[in-house]
């Protein structure tokens, strides 16, 4: 019977991943700074959860490496990306890739890195975290909006980055 249960769980996991590959999401880079320097990761799980107080939520899959360093930070920036930032999204999605380059327009706010070219950049303070399976969900209070730039939002869908266009209007 145990083999059947494992098979059902594996099938559910694959069906779950397939379902969410068909569900588009906006792309962000969550960044922080610690004693080792700036750190960040690409996230497609960012969502607003409250206006009063302004708050957002995102999740990270692991609690080590870049994710662990971001989870330990007292303040973070959540940089909502545009299609102009696709290279940044790709570099922050791959372990060991070159990050925080001068060409990417990273700025410093009292030691906290933020992306000046982002569609919006939000300075946040994590207020709670919750372990859910192999992920950690973070709820963060938005302290300040650092940038709001025009641009097409960067969208992640079916394992690839996409743009919205006038042709996508219904």
């Amino acid at each position: 019977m145990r083999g059947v249960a494992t098979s059902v769980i594996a099938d559910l996991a694959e069906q779950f991943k397939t379902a969410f590959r068909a569900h588009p999401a906006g792309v962000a880079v969550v960044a922080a700074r610690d004693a080792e320097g700036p750190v960040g990761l690409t996230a497609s799980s960012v969502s607003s959860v409250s206006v009063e107080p302004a708050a957002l939520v995102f999740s990270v899959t692991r609690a080590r490496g870049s994710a662990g360093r971001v989870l330990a930070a007292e303040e973070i920036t959540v940089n909502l990306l545009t299609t102009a930032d696709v290279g940044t999204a790709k570099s922050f999605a791959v372990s060991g890739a070159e990050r925080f380059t001068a060409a990417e327009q990273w700025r410093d706010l009292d030691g906290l890195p933020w992306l000046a070219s982002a569609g919006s950049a939000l300075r946040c303070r994590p207020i709670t975290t919750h372990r859910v399976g192999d992920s950690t969900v973070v709820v963060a209070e938005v302290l300040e909006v650092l940038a709001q730039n025009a641009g097409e939002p960067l969208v992640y869908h079916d394992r690839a980055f996409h743009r919205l266009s006038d042709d996508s209007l219904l």
Side-chain angles (χ1 to χ4, degrees):
M1 189 67 163
R2 186 157 170 80
V4 172
T6 302
S7 175
V8 170
I9 290 170
D11 289 343
L12 177 61
E14 282 307 309
Q15 292 171 358
F16 180 78
K17 289 189 285 187
T18 298
F20 272 87
R21 275 196 289 273
H23 183 73
V27 182
V29 167
V30 179
R33 181 179 300 277
D34 63 11
E36 297 179 45
V39 62
L41 52 89
T42 299
S44 61
S45 60
V46 178
S47 184
S48 65
V49 293
S50 175
V51 174
E52 292 291 331
L56 56 82
V57 64
F58 67 94
S59 66
V60 295
T61 304
R62 291 183 284 285
R64 59 184 191 275
S66 295
R69 292 173 61 198
V70 167
L71 289 171
E74 291 182 22
E75 283 193 6
I76 57 174
T77 57
V78 177
N79 303 275
L80 306 177
L81 304 184
T82 68
T83 55
D85 302 312
V86 69
T88 301
K90 288 178 179 180
S91 68
F92 279 81
V94 178
S95 182
E98 187 176 5
R99 299 174 176 177
F100 298 102
T101 66
E104 293 174 324
Q105 299 183 34
W106 285 98
R107 303 290 186 262
D108 184 277
L109 175 69
D110 300 325
L112 191 62
W114 64 279
L115 188 60
S117 65
S120 292
L122 312 164
R123 184 173 66 93
C124 302
R125 180 180 55 87
I127 53 178
T128 189
T129 61
H130 300 281
R131 276 299 296 232
V132 180
D134 62 351
S135 295
T136 301
V137 176
V138 178
V139 178
E141 179 182 10
V142 177
L143 304 172
E144 181 180 6
V145 176
L146 303 169
Q148 290 184 308
N149 300 306
E152 292 181 272
L154 185 59
V155 177
Y156 191 71
H157 175 257
D158 198 20
R159 298 182 176 179
F161 295 109
H162 298 267
R163 71 178 35 166
L164 299 178
S165 68
D166 290 340
D167 294 340
S168 66
L169 295 176
L170 298 177

